[in-house]
Amino acid sequence: MTAALQFLFQRLPPSLPQTQQAHAALLKCGTVPFDTRPTANLLALYAHHIRLADAAVLLRFIPRPDPFPFSALISALVSARLFSPALALFSSMLSLGFPPDPFVLPVALKACAALPSLPIGRQLHSLSLVAGISADPFINSALVHMYLKCRAVADAQLVFDRMTDKSVVTWSAMIAGCATHGRVGEALQMFKQMRTSGVQPNQITWNGLLVGFNRSGHPQETVLTMRRMHSEGFEMDEVCISSTLSAVADMESVAIGSQIHGYVIKAGLEVNSSVLSALVDSYGKCGRTEEMVRVFDEVGSVDVGSCNALIAGLSRNSRADDALKAFKEFKAQGIELNVVSWTSTVACCSQNGKDMEALELFREMQAAGVDPNAVTIPCLLPACGNIAALMQGKSAHCFSLRKGILMDVYVGSALVDMYAKCGRIKDARAIFDTMKTRNVVSWNAMIAGYAMHGKAKDAIDLFLSMKRNMQKPDSITFISLLSACSQAGLTEEGERYFIELQQEHSIIARVEHYACMVSLLGRAGRLNEAYDLIRKMQVEPDGCVWGALLSSCRVHNNVRLAEIAAEKLFQLEPENAGNYVLLSNIYAAKGMLDGVDRMRDIMKNMGVKKEPGCSWIEIKNMVHMLLAGDKSHPQMSQIAEKLEKLSVEMKRLGYHPSTDFVLQDVEEQDKEHILCGHSEKLAVALGLISTPSGTPLRVIKNLRICGDCHAAIKFISNFEGREIHVRDTNRFHHFKDGHCSCGDYW
DNA sequence: GTAGGGTTAG
């Protein structure tokens, strides 16, 4: 009876109701739990359906010692990607006295590879030696695979070299592993060796090679391998195509992408989810947004992978609003969005100035039960830094600690950046010091942090330590370093680093480096040299370069160069009101009474419509300054008349007539709410007021400021009788008694 | 009953 049932049992199709029927039948004839094999088979079937609780109950009933039920359950756990429980069960199997056999050990090794856990993998290796089964080809193949996944390439090589009978599976594992670790030459060499030793590659070997090349950042090799594979008559399946498309995306080659797209259509592969995701991604990375959307719409797939590729593609092609719209639509359609979907959308927001939205999405994500991972955190943290949302930044820090991802180099670097931008330079350094691995981004984040806080000496010390640690500086490192030197007035050091970056590191000076140098020379009063440097630039100077010159001209009141810089600047950034303000201030400082008319003419010629109030208020202040200087000036009545007209016009346009007036209102109304114009950017800048010693940041909400933000800051500083730190776009300014420590004009 | 290849987020 039992034998007959077992016969039937092994032929059962793997459906859950039939498994349950068989269970009932076995119970009826009293087989379960007294006969080992049928019970074990039943257990295996339950495990297959991931009914692990049922399987575990049966495991307790197995009467005679038999490792098979354990193996079956461990196998099922691994298939269900429950790797840690699988290893835990393996461990209890050993403690019950069952020796590891050649069937269960490869499965346990697969779990180690998937985690990955090198220490457990090594224990399993010793176990196979102790048990005397270390010659088993399955165990050795699994060991090779495990060591490769754990990045222990030398160990994998050792096991591989000692093997006598290498199957195609073993070769494939080793070849794929070499390719994945970027050992292009070795992988190809092995491929040859395998063939000469008489082992033919079936499809998987080729794919392993190709996937490995793609993952290790060798897109050209990936495409070449695909071509060779095709010419040798192997079928290009979905695995091959999706990996090659990913490589094409890295190469940004529309031509190859379109060819593969043609093949995909012919082979009917576009319905495959991996292929479609890779296709959408590759059009997105090549900047072909229209094609990307068309492919996505044509297939009409609701696969989450291609949805994610679409969100990312829209986001990276400056279509952040469309990306957000797509995300919301997918959610409304009931598509099961995963951690990649949420992370891409958070990244889309934090990279496109939608910082509040990024924070809100992160909250929603957790409410939706999607667990953020080591990629989500570095996508979220820039948003925290941008708006100095220290509390949210700290909670992301705590989250990383709980999740055990604090050692991730991206997480660490993003935390350094966030703390620095929130005014917490000491906390940034503490994170930096505890990081186990650092890359150039980590060093840059810390150096930029010091530069932002005006700590030039610390920035230079860290730069020297970076070089001692054999970390090669890049273009970004020098931008921070030069900016720090410029702020601190370390002219000679700055000049030396400007030469070093080009001569020692063969970095081509970018427009940002020039802007720092212009600022550096300008601050030292070497305005003509700064202007010469601009004229000698190999790249076209942008608004930052001319802006640096204009600001320096303000410090040293040089009208001649200021007008040259301003003319260029007004052409490049006609709507940036701050530039007009700077020039008008230089006129004022020089006591040029015709300054008002000059400014009005310039603005009229430039067709400035946006934010005229900013400049007008500044012009008005200038006139005030002039009047204060010489009350008996013959043009006084004329100026007063102009002033009156300006006031009326400003009121008509909805601008507040006087900044002083607004600031006086603050005390009675609401200190947290100052209104004097329109400028979102400055609102953010003033939203970042902090106290000097790093005590909690005080965020002034709803602050809307016009060109007089400087006056407002001075006012707040005086008004509250204390020092404040204000973060401009990329640096902190320290105010005391209405003066700024950096020496800039405010 | 055991071993090798898949895309999308920093």
Side-chain angles (χ1 to χ4, degrees), chain A residues 719-731:
Chain A
F719 173 73
E720 301 199 341
R722 61 181 171 87
E723 300 170 29
I724 53 170
H725 280 190
V726 174
R727 200 184 87 203
D728 198 352
T729 2
N730 59 1
R731 82 166 69 146

Side-chain angles (χ1 to χ4, degrees), chain A residues 33-252:
Chain A
F34 302 108
D35 200 328
T36 303
R37 276 287 153 165
T39 311
N41 275 324
L42 184 60
L43 181 152
L45 275 185
Y46 272 126
H48 175 85
H49 292 294
I50 322 184
R51 295 291 288 241
L52 299 176
D54 293 318
V57 168
L58 286 169
L59 189 63
R60 283 194 276 145
F61 285 120
I62 306 283
R64 283 200 302 271
D66 185 351
F68 171 69
F70 280 98
S71 308
L73 194 47
I74 291 166
S75 215
L77 287 166
V78 171
S79 315
R81 303 187 56 80
L82 297 164
F83 306 115
S84 295
L87 286 171
L89 188 61
F90 177 74
S91 154
S92 48
M93 176 183 174
L94 295 180
S95 58
L96 284 170
F98 292 107
D101 64 58
F103 293 108
V104 74
L105 211 51
V107 184
L109 282 165
K110 195 177 176 179
C112 278
L115 280 175
S117 167
L118 187 58
I120 304 178
R122 286 199 200 283
Q123 281 181 28
L124 295 181
H125 191 174
S126 334
L127 217 57
S128 74
L129 292 164
V130 172
I133 49 174
S134 63
D136 183 88
F138 282 86
I139 293 177
N140 280 313
S141 280
L143 275 173
V144 168
H145 181 232
M146 179 277 295
Y147 278 128
L148 286 167
K149 291 278 171 190
C150 294
R151 298 164 173 268
V153 186
D155 295 81
Q157 188 78 50
L158 212 66
V159 176
F160 181 79
D161 290 343
R162 283 182 187 161
M163 281 178 78
T164 44
D165 47 346
K166 299 181 179 85
S167 70
V168 64
V169 176
T170 322
W171 280 104
S172 301
M174 198 62 212
I175 291 168
C178 274
T180 306
H181 289 96
R183 304 182 173 200
V184 177
E186 270 177 74
L188 291 170
Q189 187 67 28
M190 277 199 178
F191 197 81
K192 255 188 222 164
Q193 269 177 24
M194 177 183 83
R195 288 180 147 181
T196 46
S197 73
V199 179
Q200 285 310 307
N202 57 13
Q203 187 95 26
I204 291 180
T205 318
W206 279 104
N207 285 346
L209 195 62
L210 192 141
V211 167
F213 286 152
N214 176 44
R215 283 190 176 162
S216 60
H218 293 88
Q220 273 92 358
E221 291 294 338
T222 312
V223 175
L224 275 174
T225 309
M226 179 209 70
R227 294 219 163 111
R228 271 185 61 198
M229 175 180 179
H230 187 53
S231 67
E232 291 200 22
F234 283 91
E235 186 208 347
M236 299 193 292
D237 66 358
E238 64 276 8
V239 177
C240 159
I241 292 298
S242 42
S243 263
T244 313
L245 276 171
S246 160
V248 166
D250 287 346
M251 288 159 66
E252 297 181 20

Side-chain angles (χ1 to χ4, degrees), chain A residues 419-592:
Chain A
Y419 276 122
K421 285 191 177 140
C422 288
R424 298 293 196 107
I425 192 71
K426 283 182 185 160
D427 290 328
R429 182 62 198 244
I431 296 282
F432 180 81
D433 286 339
T434 51
M435 286 174 76
K436 276 196 180 137
T437 42
R438 302 184 186 113
N439 61 16
V440 67
V441 178
S442 336
W443 288 93
N444 286 354
M446 196 61 232
I447 293 173
Y450 281 134
M452 194 186 287
H453 285 257
K455 294 178 178 296
K457 197 183 163 299
D458 291 312
I460 292 172
D461 283 348
L462 200 65
F463 173 71
L464 296 175
S465 147
M466 175 183 189
K467 290 205 285 191
R468 278 197 302 275
N469 280 275
M470 307 305 283
Q471 175 64 61
K472 205 172 145 42
D474 67 2
S475 187
I476 311 285
T477 319
F478 282 99
I479 295 175
S480 303
L481 203 58
L482 292 177
S483 147
C485 290
S486 153
Q487 269 189 76
L490 301 175
T491 317
E492 275 176 31
E493 286 86 342
E495 286 184 287
R496 209 172 57 229
Y497 288 129
F498 188 61
I499 295 170
E500 179 180 326
L501 77 97
Q502 299 174 87
Q503 291 185 355
E504 271 182 48
H505 302 279
S506 312
I507 295 169
I508 297 166
R510 283 173 22 185
V511 70
E512 292 92 337
H513 298 112
Y514 281 104
C516 290
M517 287 310 288
V518 168
S519 174
L520 182 107
L521 294 168
R523 199 182 295 254
R526 293 155 62 181
L527 292 169
N528 290 325
E529 281 178 67
Y531 183 44
D532 282 345
L533 183 69
I534 298 178
R535 284 192 296 183
K536 282 186 204 147
M537 275 174 68
Q538 302 290 314
V539 280
E540 194 61 32
D542 68 354
C544 293
V545 175
W546 290 115
L549 185 63
L550 184 60
S551 299
S552 307
C553 289
R554 169 64 190 94
V555 176
H556 299 282
N557 292 325
N558 184 323
V559 178
R560 187 183 66 85
L561 282 178
E563 286 188 326
I564 296 174
E567 197 189 332
K568 299 278 187 186
L569 207 48
F570 296 158
Q571 280 165 9
L572 288 165
E573 305 171 348
E575 302 214 333
N576 186 340
N579 297 331
Y580 301 100
V581 174
L582 266 176
L583 186 62
S584 72
N585 275 303
I586 297 173
Y587 287 149
K590 278 289 201 182
M592 292 164 64

Side-chain angles (χ1 to χ4, degrees), chain A residues 155-438:
Chain A
D155 295 81
Q157 188 78 50
L158 212 66
V159 176
F160 181 79
D161 290 343
R162 283 182 187 161
M163 281 178 78
T164 44
D165 47 346
K166 299 181 179 85
S167 70
V168 64
V169 176
T170 322
W171 280 104
S172 301
M174 198 62 212
I175 291 168
C178 274
T180 306
H181 289 96
R183 304 182 173 200
V184 177
E186 270 177 74
L188 291 170
Q189 187 67 28
M190 277 199 178
F191 197 81
K192 255 188 222 164
Q193 269 177 24
M194 177 183 83
R195 288 180 147 181
T196 46
S197 73
V199 179
Q200 285 310 307
N202 57 13
Q203 187 95 26
I204 291 180
T205 318
W206 279 104
N207 285 346
L209 195 62
L210 192 141
V211 167
F213 286 152
N214 176 44
R215 283 190 176 162
S216 60
H218 293 88
Q220 273 92 358
E221 291 294 338
T222 312
V223 175
L224 275 174
T225 309
M226 179 209 70
R227 294 219 163 111
R228 271 185 61 198
M229 175 180 179
H230 187 53
S231 67
E232 291 200 22
F234 283 91
E235 186 208 347
M236 299 193 292
D237 66 358
E238 64 276 8
V239 177
C240 159
I241 292 298
S242 42
S243 263
T244 313
L245 276 171
S246 160
V248 166
D250 287 346
M251 288 159 66
E252 297 181 20
S253 164
V254 186
I256 307 176
S258 311
Q259 281 174 21
I260 300 178
H261 190 181
Y263 175 84
V264 166
I265 294 171
K266 240 179 14 203
L269 283 175
E270 69 268 48
V271 288
N272 178 279
S273 58
S274 302
V275 171
L276 182 63
S277 305
L279 199 57
V280 169
D281 177 59
S282 106
Y283 276 125
K285 283 193 180 137
C286 294
R288 300 296 179 106
T289 325
E290 299 314 312
E291 277 102 325
M292 173 183 78
V293 175
R294 198 177 330 124
V295 172
F296 183 86
D297 286 343
E298 270 170 14
V299 181
S301 155
V302 286
D303 169 66
V304 68
S306 47
C307 292
N308 296 345
L310 187 81
I311 293 171
L314 289 169
S315 169
R316 71 162 55 89
N317 286 290
S318 322
R319 286 174 60 175
D321 288 324
D322 290 333
L324 283 178
K325 214 171 111 192
F327 174 81
K328 280 178 195 151
E329 273 171 23
F330 296 146
K331 208 162 78 169
Q333 284 168 24
I335 294 168
E336 210 171 302
L337 298 172
N338 60 19
V339 62
V340 180
S341 334
W342 286 91
T343 303
S344 313
T345 316
V346 169
C348 171
C349 289
S350 62
Q351 287 161 8
N352 288 285
K354 297 173 184 291
D355 303 302
M356 295 301 284
E357 287 92 332
L359 297 180
E360 175 58 21
L361 266 170
F362 184 72
R363 201 193 55 75
E364 272 179 43
M365 170 184 189
Q366 287 173 301
V370 179
D371 198 17
N373 63 17
V375 182
T376 319
I377 301 300
C379 291
L380 173 77
L381 284 170
C384 301
N386 289 343
I387 55 169
L390 183 63
M391 290 315 290
Q392 283 92 337
K394 272 185 168 178
S395 89
H397 181 179
C398 294
F399 178 87
S400 311
L401 191 70
R402 279 203 310 274
K403 195 98 169 96
I405 54 169
L406 211 52
M407 286 306 134
D408 182 285
V409 68
Y410 290 97
V411 173
S413 309
L415 280 170
V416 168
D417 179 68
M418 180 278 293
Y419 276 122
K421 285 191 177 140
C422 288
R424 298 293 196 107
I425 192 71
K426 283 182 185 160
D427 290 328
R429 182 62 198 244
I431 296 282
F432 180 81
D433 286 339
T434 51
M435 286 174 76
K436 276 196 180 137
T437 42
R438 302 184 186 113

Side-chain angles (χ1 to χ4, degrees), chain A residues 600-615:
Chain A
R600 293 206 77 176
D601 285 346
I602 291 171
M603 286 162 64
K604 205 173 153 191
N605 290 340
M606 296 306 300
V608 180
K609 289 198 179 67
K610 206 177 165 189
E611 297 195 43
C614 304
S615 295

